[in-house]
Amino acid sequence: MRLIHTSDWHLGRSFHGASLVDAQAAYLDHLVEVVRSERVDAVLVSGDVYDRALPGPTSVALLDETLVRLRDAGAQVVLSAGNHDSAVRLGFGSRVLEHGGVHIRAAVESIGTPVLLDGVAVYPLPYLEPALAAPLLDASEATHAGVLRAAMRRVHADLATRGTPGVVMAHAFVVGSATSDSERDISVGGASAVPASTFRGLSYAALGHLHGAQRVGDLGRYSGSPVAMSFSEADHRKSSVLIEVDGDAVSTTLVDAPVARPLARLRGTLDDLLADPELGHAEQSWCQVTLTDTARPLGAMDRLRRRFPHTVQLLFDQPVTQLRVDGYTSKIAGKDTLDLCCDFLQHTRGGSGATDAERTLLRQAVEQVRLGRDAADGPDRVHTVDGVA
């Protein structure tokens, strides 16, 4: 039996305002090809199929098309609901779809009823919100660990009657696993972590929720998200997990996912970054740029995008200047508006005065304010800028 484990598609997600639909579609094209070339029997999707409870039409259409193509390629499909999914909406039509080889498990009531493949029992566990799931599962405590222990009791009770290898699918945060910035916090009173021992007794745990691919002891893996969703994932290896189950023996192989556009995190002064020949790779990457200039350069984003057109996040790391109110206010008396603006700019950025271009912009701003006030107050008021009436 050959399975492929994936999770956290987050269909409908954007990356700093840029749509990820093309990258997600490219991954799903790749997944169909892997199913066909590797003769995969079933695809396991461990939660967060959609990015939000009310998915947009494009996301729904992409999922619909993908399910048809995966079935045409010869694989059954097992999907479980994640914390981003609406259990009711994702689970709509699940009983009908099951007859066609698409198994969607989103309801607590389905826990303990496996999807029976050829010689393997797959137990999909939808995301369990502790406060809601605990009474339904007779859990001893309304925590993530408590409800998953209760769910696994049902799984073990059923598996004991089967005499076949068991695979569990779960959407949870296992103790000791590495997180990233793009995962939604599922903590309740700080208690979101689940011990790895919760999933003992199964041949493999196909985990979802964390976006970095990683092994969880000898129990199973997080497949990770197939597409990066934050710059904290810049060093991730995006992949799916090809699983071969042969009796009690289970082997896994990572299958690299296509990278539509890599991520690059750049740091330095603006002039250095624009001139550095070693940064050619970043010209086609999504870029996060942290500037270390003492003063914030004028038009920094526009200048960066001329070389790095896919810069989507601009940060500044400058020395912290301690503002001394008494030292600044003592210099106000007798100065006109433009000089006050330039002095304030110099004061707040540690002594770096306004450039000629900045002074021109400030002059224009002051003049626009003056004209606006003149229009509001009538023709009799006269203001001066740099002593000029």
Side-chain angles (χ1 to χ4, degrees):
M1 171 63 62
R2 306 195 92 186
L3 312 172
I4 196 160
H5 163 210
T6 176
S7 73
D8 296 274
W9 291 357
H10 287 277
L11 301 181
R13 187 73 166 253
S14 61
F15 184 80
H16 293 275
S19 173
L20 289 175
V21 65
D22 289 342
Q24 292 167 335
Y27 166 73
L28 295 174
D29 288 344
H30 155 82
L31 182 62
V32 171
E33 289 305 313
V34 171
V35 166
R36 185 175 289 113
S37 64
E38 296 292 338
R39 299 183 179 181
V40 171
D41 298 292
V43 177
L44 313 183
V45 188
S46 299
D48 283 352
V49 179
Y50 292 123
D51 188 57
R52 54 184 182 270
L54 289 171
T58 301
S59 300
V60 175
L62 181 56
L63 177 62
D64 178 64
E65 179 186 5
T66 299
L67 294 178
V68 171
R69 294 174 65 201
L70 289 173
R71 290 295 293 125
D72 287 346
Q76 297 194 59
V77 185
V78 186
L79 300 95
S80 58
N83 59 296
H84 279 248
D85 298 309
S86 163
V88 173
R89 293 179 177 86
L90 184 66
F92 173 78
S94 58
R95 288 177 293 178
V96 173
L97 290 171
E98 190 144 11
H99 293 291
V102 176
H103 313 271
I104 302 175
R105 299 298 172 84
V108 174
E109 293 76 16
S110 69
I111 294 174
T113 302
V115 176
L116 296 175
L117 304 174
D118 185 13
V120 177
V122 177
Y123 295 89
L125 306 183
Y127 169 71
L128 301 172
E129 185 63 41
L132 301 177
L136 300 175
L137 292 170
D138 295 323
S140 58
E141 55 184 23
T143 64
H144 287 278
V147 295
L148 276 170
R149 280 197 302 268
M152 289 302 297
R153 283 197 292 270
R154 293 190 181 187
V155 169
H156 285 296
D158 182 86
L159 184 60
T161 69
R162 302 285 174 186
T164 61
V167 172
V168 64
M169 299 167 60
H171 198 82
F173 170 42
V174 175
V175 173
S177 302
T179 62
S180 63
D181 294 342
S182 55
E183 299 135 5
R184 181 180 294 171
D185 185 11
I186 60 172
S187 63
V188 178
S192 63
V194 175
S197 59
T198 304
F199 304 107
R200 282 182 184 159
L202 279 294
S203 297
Y204 181 81
L207 300 175
H209 179 56
L210 300 186
H211 291 178
Q214 56 197 291
R215 187 181 293 278
V216 180
D218 57 357
L219 296 169
R221 282 184 176 272
Y222 281 102
S223 64
S225 63
V227 175
M229 298 172 199
S230 73
F231 282 103
S232 65
E233 301 173 53
D235 298 326
H236 285 187
R237 176 187 177 185
K238 295 302 184 183
S239 57
S240 306
V241 186
L242 184 63
I243 310 162
E244 187 143 7
V245 182
D246 185 4
D248 292 332
V250 176
S251 61
T252 61
T253 305
L254 294 185
V255 180
D256 288 333
V259 179
R261 191 178 300 283
L263 307 185
R265 291 181 289 188
L266 310 181
R267 180 184 179 85
T269 66
L270 178 58
D271 289 341
D272 286 348
L273 294 177
L274 295 178
D276 191 343
E278 299 296 322
L279 298 181
H281 68 279
E283 293 173 2
Q284 298 303 317
S285 302
W286 295 120
C287 292
Q288 176 196 70
V289 179
T290 301
L291 294 181
T292 59
D293 299 76
T294 303
R296 296 194 177 189
L298 185 66
M301 182 62 94
D302 289 339
R303 293 174 63 190
L304 282 166
R305 283 180 172 168
R306 283 197 283 271
R307 182 180 183 191
F308 309 110
H310 306 290
T311 301
V312 293
Q313 188 176 33
L314 177 58
L315 306 172
F316 296 92
D317 187 0
Q318 299 166 282
V320 177
T321 302
Q322 184 67 37
L323 297 182
R324 292 186 56 197
V325 177
D326 58 339
Y328 175 69
T329 54
S330 63
K331 302 176 182 178
I332 291 178
K335 293 197 174 183
D336 61 35
T337 305
L338 179 59
D339 283 338
L340 286 175
C341 291
C342 292
D343 285 352
F344 182 75
L345 181 63
Q346 179 177 358
H347 180 70
T348 54
R349 61 185 189 187
S352 180
T355 64
D356 290 343
E358 289 170 336
R359 188 177 181 90
T360 298
L361 286 175
L362 288 169
R363 178 192 292 275
Q364 292 171 355
V366 171
E367 180 67 9
Q368 288 173 2
V369 171
R370 181 187 71 79
L371 292 174
R373 286 179 178 173
D374 284 351
D377 295 340
D380 296 332
R381 289 195 61 174
V382 176
H383 297 269
T384 64
V385 177
D386 274 1
V388 180

